[in-house]
Amino acid sequence: MGFDIRWLTGELKDSPIVSRHSFSDGAIAAAKWLKGRFQEYGATCTFMDFLEGFSPNVICRYAAEPSFNKTLPAPRVILSAHYDSRGTFGSTRAPGGDDDGSGVIHLLAISRAIYRKKVTFPIDVELVAFAGEEQGLLGSYAYAKQLYEEGADIMLQIQADMLAYHDSDEPMQLGLPQSIGSPVAGELLTNISAIYAPELTVGTTTACCSDHQSFWAHGFTATQVFERAGGIIDPNYHNSGDLSNRTNYDIEQVHAIAKVTLASLLHVAGFTIGA
């Protein structure tokens, strides 16, 4: 996770990233890099263009194996994060380490685990990195709308947005939406957390809004995982100081939340571990 986040924020010397703003060259570079990384871990990835001038959504799939039904699209579970970022007003620097590089590296960690453990699924599983979130959930809305119009069977969608900030005076936490999201999904994640990540204190958050809202608005079962049971307290939120090498940026909390989302995926989708 450490290498991934430092590349995305531009903290590594060989990273070309200055900003991942949706209109930036850095966002395009990040999209290409993410596609390559997910494909290294066995996923099949495509770009989805949704608005002129915006970097694309990166949609990566582990297809149902064996094929669920060749005449019908398979049901699917979607885990997502957004890779676009914002910085301090007037600054060209927008590293987005917590918002939402932390959610993206959580997806990469899950993808690595699927690949290394040779996990296969009886339904389609998608890991999606959205663009255009900071401009109003634009990338996710375009995809959710497309899926709705296609009559897709989305069993569960979980958005990971801001997972890494952990105040040293507080326990590691998992925040679930107080209002925008499916209560049944929140209940599932709460129960899963108690089993697989008891180090997390689970509660609700008023932090709003993220890409799960696009799916929830189209009638899909959807929720979000967030870094805190409560409001946003990261002092570098939407700030050019949103780097990973700073006080209270906690990779261990990201890892703990990733255990919850991965376990929820496995529970809902079903799975087989290869030899």
Side-chain angles (χ1 to χ4, degrees):
M1 282 186 176
F3 172 85
D4 292 336
I5 193 58
R6 290 193 299 273
W7 196 94
L8 286 169
T9 59
E11 291 171 90
L12 283 181
K13 290 182 179 180
D14 61 351
S15 170
I17 305 295
V18 175
S19 169
R20 299 194 316 276
H21 190 283
S22 292
F23 309 132
S24 69
D25 292 340
I28 298 295
K32 292 177 180 178
W33 184 81
L34 288 169
K35 182 181 180 185
R37 294 289 277 178
F38 284 120
Q39 288 180 156
E40 284 178 29
Y41 304 139
T44 300
C45 299
T46 58
F47 289 146
M48 176 191 176
D49 294 319
F50 57 93
L51 279 175
E52 184 176 355
F54 282 76
S55 56
N57 294 331
V58 184
I59 301 173
C60 299
R61 177 179 294 184
Y62 293 94
E65 191 176 317
S67 178
F68 179 82
N69 185 327
K70 293 185 182 298
T71 63
L72 294 171
R76 73 188 86 174
V77 173
I78 300 173
L79 304 183
S80 63
H82 72 89
Y83 72 92
D84 63 313
S85 62
R86 287 179 61 180
T88 306
F89 182 77
S91 173
T92 58
R93 189 86 172 92
D98 189 25
D99 186 13
D100 184 27
S102 61
V104 174
I105 65 169
H106 137 286
L107 289 184
L108 287 170
I110 289 171
S111 184
R112 256 191 310 273
I114 291 170
Y115 176 72
R116 290 175 178 173
K117 296 297 183 181
K118 300 179 181 178
V119 179
T120 57
F121 302 98
I123 68 171
D124 288 345
V125 168
E126 290 184 349
L127 305 182
V128 183
F130 289 116
E133 194 271 355
E134 298 291 4
Q135 289 73 42
L137 317 182
L138 300 180
S140 60
Y141 187 86
Y143 191 44
K145 181 175 183 288
Q146 174 184 305
L147 294 175
Y148 175 78
E149 292 173 348
E150 292 172 352
D153 181 3
I154 310 301
M155 298 178 69
L156 176 65
Q157 190 271 342
I158 303 173
Q159 168 77 358
D161 195 349
M162 299 179 63
L163 307 183
Y165 189 79
H166 169 209
D167 190 293
S168 57
D169 291 330
E170 297 182 344
M172 290 200 297
Q173 297 176 65
L174 168 61
L176 301 169
Q178 186 173 30
S179 57
I180 300 175
S182 306
V184 66
E187 182 178 357
L188 171 67
L189 267 65
T190 299
N191 293 336
I192 291 284
S193 180
I195 298 170
Y196 295 104
E199 65 270 31
L200 292 171
T201 297
V202 182
T204 59
T205 177
T206 56
C208 175
C209 301
S210 197
D211 291 311
H212 67 292
Q213 184 174 344
S214 297
F215 291 84
W216 181 70
H218 282 89
F220 298 123
T221 300
T223 194
Q224 175 190 1
V225 288
F226 178 67
E227 63 200 8
R228 187 169 183 267
I232 297 170
I233 61 170
D234 184 347
N236 285 292
Y237 173 61
H238 287 173
N239 187 290
S240 297
D242 186 7
L243 301 166
S244 66
N245 184 20
R246 60 182 171 105
T247 302
N248 294 335
Y249 193 98
D250 190 354
I251 290 287
E252 289 305 311
Q253 181 170 275
V254 180
H255 181 263
I257 295 174
K259 290 192 295 183
V260 176
T261 51
L262 174 57
S264 299
L265 160 64
L266 297 176
H267 176 78
V268 174
F271 66 98
T272 300
I273 296 178

